[in-house]
Amino acid sequence: MPPFPYFEIVKKAYELTVKHSWLWVFGLFIGGTTGLNFGVFNYFLPAYQAEQLSRLREIGTNFLPRLLAREELLIPVLAGVLFLALFLVLLSGLSKAAVIWATAKLDAPGAANSPPGEVNFRKSLRSGRRYLWQIVGLQVLVSAVFLLLFLVFAGPVAYLFSAGASGKGLVLLLVGLLIFLPASVVFGFLHLYGPIFIVLYNSRIGEAIQYSFNLLRQKLKESLLLGAFLLGLSLLFVFVLIFSLVVLAIPVAFLTVVLVKLQLLTAIFTLLLGTAAVSICYTVILGAAFAVFQNIIWVLAVSYLVKTKRLGQEERALAAEPVV
């Protein structure tokens, strides 16, 4: 069996990402929503995480009691939060489906010779709607089972520590980690591969989960190596992004010092506000492009792995071209 074409897949994903920049719009809503998404927004410095958690605790301590005391505001606020969360989940599922569908079409034989506009934003969005509820249903199901598994492991450990049985709690914690961490990897790949099977091969939720598990079982090494590679690539992306922002900040800081000495307060405000706006747009756009790039890699990888894995009788049809 030929080795997995990591370089070819990454090169193809890069070309598709750069050539079809309209896909970046979908990338705005994909990052950070999947169980095994190696997007830039999943990786922050520990100190930053601690700072954000501290701020959230402070907000909760100051805001929640006031909110609970205002019964007329409690229901509207909770309804608004739930509506926003549902809207973002649906938008994420739709964007993921659109990117998967567009990738399959753009990577199909003869796609390079297709007339301009054969695959575009509107067609991808319309086609992605067909798979929206199945993708959301799969992700909700996998997430719910994962949460249940976490509670099964975390509940007894928390009870033992709270009861003062630290020794038994530590032993149970270690045993739980030995089981929970591999299970987390499996659930992450189900979360990742499932939507691809739904869109590319028109699978139902149960079938997508089964196919994803079988693919991971037979191609575990390739899946883990590709995931590790994308993790490293994400960390490199974060470093390059931060470095570029620092480079941008150096002349801005110099100009700010000059403007301060000249006491041009309006110019200082305009410079800082403009720099902040440019930095935010730069970060968001590059993050969206990188999220699309990663998702395209996974779609191309699954297509290749399906064609090269040992198929059961009921899965044999998947070796054909995707049905999108």
Side-chain angles (χ1 to χ4, degrees), residues 13-276:
Y14 174 79
E15 292 173 350
L16 292 177
T17 303
V18 173
K19 184 177 180 181
H20 305 281
S21 56
W22 50 268
L23 287 169
W24 301 3
V25 177
F26 298 119
L28 294 171
F29 309 103
I30 292 179
T33 59
T34 60
L36 200 68
N37 180 27
F38 298 104
V40 58
F41 300 108
N42 288 345
Y43 300 98
F44 295 95
L45 296 175
Y48 179 77
Q49 289 181 329
E51 180 183 355
Q52 295 305 307
L53 290 175
S54 176
R55 291 181 179 179
L56 288 176
R57 284 194 294 267
E58 182 180 352
I59 292 174
T61 302
N62 297 331
F63 177 72
L64 288 179
R66 298 179 183 178
L67 178 61
L68 293 175
R70 301 284 300 274
E71 296 182 358
E72 70 278 8
L73 295 178
L74 180 60
I75 294 180
V77 169
L78 291 179
V81 171
L82 290 176
F83 175 80
L84 179 61
L86 178 61
F87 177 74
L88 292 177
V89 168
L90 294 176
L91 201 55
S92 171
L94 179 60
S95 299
K96 181 173 289 294
V99 170
I100 296 171
W101 181 88
T103 300
K105 290 294 185 181
L106 294 172
D107 188 51
N113 300 322
S114 300
E118 184 71 21
V119 182
N120 54 36
F121 178 84
R122 181 175 298 180
K123 289 184 178 180
S124 300
L125 188 64
R126 184 170 62 248
S127 299
R129 286 205 308 252
R130 293 185 295 168
Y131 309 100
L132 171 61
W133 293 108
Q134 291 190 72
I135 288 179
V136 172
L138 181 143
Q139 293 182 334
V140 169
L141 176 61
V142 173
S143 298
V145 176
F146 177 80
L147 179 60
L148 180 61
L149 178 66
F150 174 78
L151 293 177
V152 168
F153 282 108
V157 173
Y159 172 77
L160 289 175
F161 276 104
S162 64
S166 301
K168 294 181 180 179
L170 182 59
V171 172
L172 185 59
L173 175 62
L174 295 176
V175 173
L177 288 176
L178 292 176
I179 301 174
F180 183 72
L181 291 180
S184 300
V185 173
V186 173
F187 276 95
F189 276 102
L190 294 181
H191 222 310
L192 177 64
Y193 286 171
I196 299 176
F197 276 104
I198 287 176
V199 177
L200 292 192
Y201 304 104
N202 202 24
S203 303
R204 295 188 293 270
I205 292 177
E207 294 173 339
I209 292 176
Q210 176 189 346
Y211 296 154
S212 299
F213 180 78
N214 291 340
L215 181 63
L216 177 62
R217 179 173 55 85
Q218 294 189 21
K219 298 293 185 178
L220 179 61
K221 182 183 72 172
E222 291 84 353
S223 298
L224 292 178
L225 286 177
L226 183 57
F229 171 76
L230 286 180
L231 174 59
L233 198 61
S234 296
L235 296 177
L236 177 63
F237 175 77
V238 172
F239 173 79
V240 172
L241 182 63
I242 294 176
F243 179 77
S244 61
L245 291 175
V246 171
V247 171
L248 173 65
I250 292 176
V252 173
F254 176 77
L255 288 176
T256 302
V257 172
V258 174
L259 293 175
V260 168
K261 291 183 178 181
L262 297 176
Q263 297 184 350
L264 299 175
L265 298 182
T266 302
I268 294 173
F269 177 78
T270 303
L271 175 64
L272 295 179
L273 185 62
T275 303

